[in-house]
Amino acid sequence: MKFIHITYFIICLPFIMYSQEKSGYYINWDINHAETFVRPSIPISEEESKTINCYYVEFDNNNRLLRVKFYFSGKPSDYSNYGAFELVRTYHSGYFIEKYKNTAGEFIENSSNIDEKKYLLNTAGYWIRKENYSNGELISDGVAYSEVTRNDKNEIATEIQFSATRDTIPDGNGFKIVHFLYNKDGLTLYRQNRNEKGEIVNGNQGYATVVFQFDHNGMFFEEHFLDENNNLFLHPRFDLAKINWRAFNKYGKPSRIYYMNSLGYPHEKRAYAIIKYRPNMTRASITYYDRYGERSVDVHGVAKSIYNYDAHGKYLGRSNFDLENKRIE
């Protein structure tokens, strides 16, 4: 009997020791990239939650996450960053389950066509394998499951994604085996591509490392790309090597973005952008400027973009305009 109690304590230890968060409304429902516990950030009042887009995060008496709900302009919305109105987590011996509900309270598939995620735990109580299900089967399209290793702090150290047929699926940067490093707050310092020998190598887009800087609220304030020789690399899709967010408001939203080339200098065509927000804190528009403060364009010839949402919070895409304010189709 004594062994059973000790085992139970060890399994629950991560949630008891580290998930010291209060139920309530937050801008971000989880900023812990190391995935050792759930850590929401930027708490707001119930009054603010009636207008500002936010998440209601609920913990149980053992400080374990129970559920998360998303509100768009104060109303329940299915368009959260997990692709549903509500995320529900239940705990079992050796694993926990996440399922999703819509605003009608029905269990559904989320926007990624997943109706259940199963997290298998190591002996210390941290997940090491995540499985994505639809109708009781591993999903057949996309990442069916992920396997991670953890360091001596039980932070995620490496991750590999697999299809249902056990083929490796690279991450969005083209990295097959992703290596991570975190700061003291559990926020990612880099994602890095290494081969099976542990050597840093370029991924399929030509770079090896993505370096991040986050503030204490988990908000980006800098990102840049490095090749396997640790040199700044001009991303082929984004046409920039370094990006810097500045002038944050109290909800963690930046009003300026600065762009740098592979030498670390202001970008030749667009040096910075100004961002504006709606009262609910959705991004309203972004406008580009050159290093002299004159309006400019991005790599696609866009001088300004307006971000469109429907009344339920569904993102409808951008309306793009050129320097003469003519819409680009």
Side-chain angles (χ1 to χ4, degrees):
M1 184 64 68
K2 183 177 180 181
F3 175 77
I4 292 174
H5 285 303
I6 292 173
T7 302
Y8 176 80
F9 179 75
I10 290 173
I11 289 175
C12 293
L13 188 61
F15 305 109
I16 294 172
M17 287 186 65
Y18 299 111
S19 294
Q20 304 298 322
E21 298 294 347
K22 295 180 180 179
S23 299
Y25 294 97
Y26 295 86
I27 298 297
N28 305 307
W29 74 270
D30 186 16
I31 63 167
N32 183 359
H33 305 155
E35 297 197 42
T36 49
F37 60 92
V38 172
R39 180 188 169 199
S41 77
I42 312 183
I44 63 173
S45 68
E46 186 171 356
E47 187 64 28
E48 287 175 298
S49 75
K50 296 175 182 178
T51 55
I52 305 299
N53 296 346
C54 64
Y55 295 87
Y56 184 81
V57 188
E58 184 178 346
F59 296 90
D60 68 11
N61 291 333
N62 292 321
N63 295 307
R64 300 181 305 181
L65 178 74
L66 286 181
R67 58 183 53 85
V68 186
K69 297 179 180 180
F70 176 63
Y71 294 89
F72 181 85
S73 298
K75 298 178 181 179
S77 170
D78 290 324
Y79 301 102
S80 66
N81 66 1
Y82 45 80
F85 164 56
E86 184 175 357
L87 179 155
V88 180
R89 184 179 286 187
T90 56
Y91 298 89
H92 308 268
S93 178
Y95 67 96
F96 63 84
I97 296 289
E98 286 182 353
K99 292 187 176 183
Y100 308 94
K101 288 184 178 182
N102 61 17
T103 54
E106 304 164 325
F107 282 105
I108 58 166
E109 286 188 344
N110 68 8
S111 57
S112 299
N113 303 121
I114 297 167
D115 60 24
E116 179 180 305
K117 289 187 179 184
K118 183 176 183 179
Y119 296 78
L120 305 178
L121 311 179
N122 63 14
T123 55
Y126 300 90
W127 78 266
I128 53 174
R129 178 179 165 113
K130 176 172 60 179
E131 300 173 342
N132 300 320
Y133 288 92
S134 176
N135 296 317
E137 302 288 339
L138 288 172
I139 63 172
S140 58
D141 186 21
V143 178
Y145 63 97
S146 304
E147 293 181 347
V148 303
T149 63
R150 290 182 177 268
N151 60 24
D152 57 1
K153 297 179 182 178
N154 270 306
E155 300 167 326
I156 293 176
T158 67
E159 180 180 25
I160 307 177
Q161 300 179 144
F162 296 93
S163 69
T165 55
R166 289 195 56 81
D167 293 318
T168 302
I169 299 178
D171 78 344
N173 299 294
F175 300 170
K176 288 188 175 182
I177 304 176
V178 187
H179 291 250
F180 300 89
L181 184 69
Y182 307 93
N183 66 15
K184 62 181 178 60
D185 296 317
L187 299 166
T188 308
L189 291 175
Y190 67 63
R191 297 174 68 95
Q192 194 169 73
N193 190 52
R194 301 184 191 178
N195 60 24
E196 294 179 355
K197 297 179 181 180
E199 300 166 333
I200 300 172
V201 294
N202 291 331
N204 62 21
Q205 297 196 60
Y207 57 91
T209 304
V210 187
V211 181
F212 306 101
Q213 293 286 339
F214 294 89
D215 68 15
H216 65 287
N217 289 314
M219 296 300 195
F220 274 123
F221 67 83
E222 190 168 287
E223 177 179 3
H224 61 270
F225 306 92
L226 301 174
D227 65 18
E228 60 191 17
N229 297 313
N230 215 37
N231 296 318
L232 273 175
F233 181 85
L234 193 70
H235 194 286
R237 263 189 308 136
F238 306 138
D239 188 36
L240 57 88
K242 190 173 184 179
I243 185 168
N244 184 279
W245 288 259
R246 301 182 194 175
F248 290 80
N249 65 20
K250 69 175 184 176
Y251 300 112
K253 306 298 183 182
S255 61
R256 283 183 173 247
I257 305 180
Y258 290 83
Y259 306 97
M260 272 90 24
N261 61 21
S262 58
L263 297 175
Y265 298 135
H267 194 280
E268 289 80 2
K269 292 184 179 178
R270 69 189 194 285
Y272 68 95
I274 293 177
I275 306 170
K276 294 184 178 179
Y277 297 90
R278 297 181 178 88
N280 65 5
M281 289 299 109
T282 52
R283 186 181 286 192
S285 66
I286 184 169
T287 306
Y288 300 105
Y289 297 86
D290 63 22
R291 67 180 69 186
Y292 306 108
E294 301 293 333
R295 288 188 63 195
S296 186
V297 297
D298 69 5
V299 68
H300 304 293
V302 175
K304 180 178 181 177
S305 295
I306 294 175
Y307 296 79
N308 305 307
Y309 293 81
D310 70 12
H312 303 289
K314 182 179 181 180
Y315 177 59
L316 302 176
R318 301 186 190 188
S319 298
N320 297 320
F321 301 87
D322 63 18
L323 282 172
E324 297 179 349
N325 294 319
K326 294 181 180 176
R327 184 162 180 170
I328 301 173
E329 301 296 337

